[in-house]
Amino acid sequence: MQISARGDYAVRAALSLATAYPRLLSTQAIAAEQDMPRKFLEAVLADLRRAGIVRAQRGAEGGYTLARPPREVTVGAVLRAVEGPLAGVRGLRPEETSYEGAAEHLPGLWVAVRAAVRRVVDEVSLAEMTSGRLPAHVRRLTALPDAWEPR
């Protein structure tokens, strides 16, 4: 799974909003805190607003806030809002792939990969991220001997 800059910025912005919830934060405040370009952040926040994850308030005291409490917003929801489906194969959903011959069983693997990604990002809320209290099954993954080694 590859997380684009857009996905990374979206999650980081959502975490800033989760920490401030229910207060409003300006794009300038989020950009400064997270060291990201304000114009790019504005586009990301617009995607999150269209997806119903954040809400915006205009005016001098305006800014952004989460549309729901941080415990009700998952990292997966934030990523989907800006990236689309979490796992794709050549632009198809895993269950839409089809192969012949030696690769005929490959769709099952692609579906399993998507399920594994979902098991992490759809089961971790913004509140868990900001508190540092990840679910036990996610903590166990980070504790695997080779989890932090590049391949």
Side-chain angles (χ1 to χ4, degrees), residues 24-27 56-64:
L24 296 169
L25 287 182
S26 68
T27 54
Q57 181 175 312
R58 294 181 186 255
E61 299 297 316
Y64 289 86

Side-chain angles (χ1 to χ4, degrees), residues 16-33:
S16 290
L17 293 171
T19 300
Y21 184 81
R23 290 187 344 265
L24 296 169
L25 287 182
S26 68
T27 54
Q28 185 173 343
I30 297 168
E33 177 190 337

Side-chain angles (χ1 to χ4, degrees), residues 18 31 89 100 107 110 117 145:
V89 181
E100 295 188 21
W110 298 151
V117 170

Side-chain angles (χ1 to χ4, degrees), residues 17-93:
L17 293 171
T19 300
Y21 184 81
R23 290 187 344 265
L24 296 169
L25 287 182
S26 68
T27 54
Q28 185 173 343
I30 297 168
E33 177 190 337
Q34 293 297 323
D35 190 27
M36 57 179 72
R38 192 174 59 89
K39 283 293 186 192
F40 191 34
L41 174 61
E42 288 172 357
V44 167
L45 288 168
D47 287 344
L48 294 176
R49 186 184 50 75
R50 279 189 291 278
I53 292 173
V54 303
R55 62 180 178 78
Q57 181 175 312
R58 294 181 186 255
E61 299 297 316
Y64 289 86
T65 187
L66 292 175
R68 298 185 316 275
R71 72 181 177 283
E72 295 178 16
V73 181
T74 66
V75 173
V78 173
L79 288 172
R80 281 185 192 88
V82 298
E83 303 270 20
L86 295 175
V89 181
R90 296 178 293 111
L92 298 172
R93 293 181 181 271

Side-chain angles (χ1 to χ4, degrees), residues 3 8 104 145:
I3 306 292
D8 179 56
E104 72 178 306

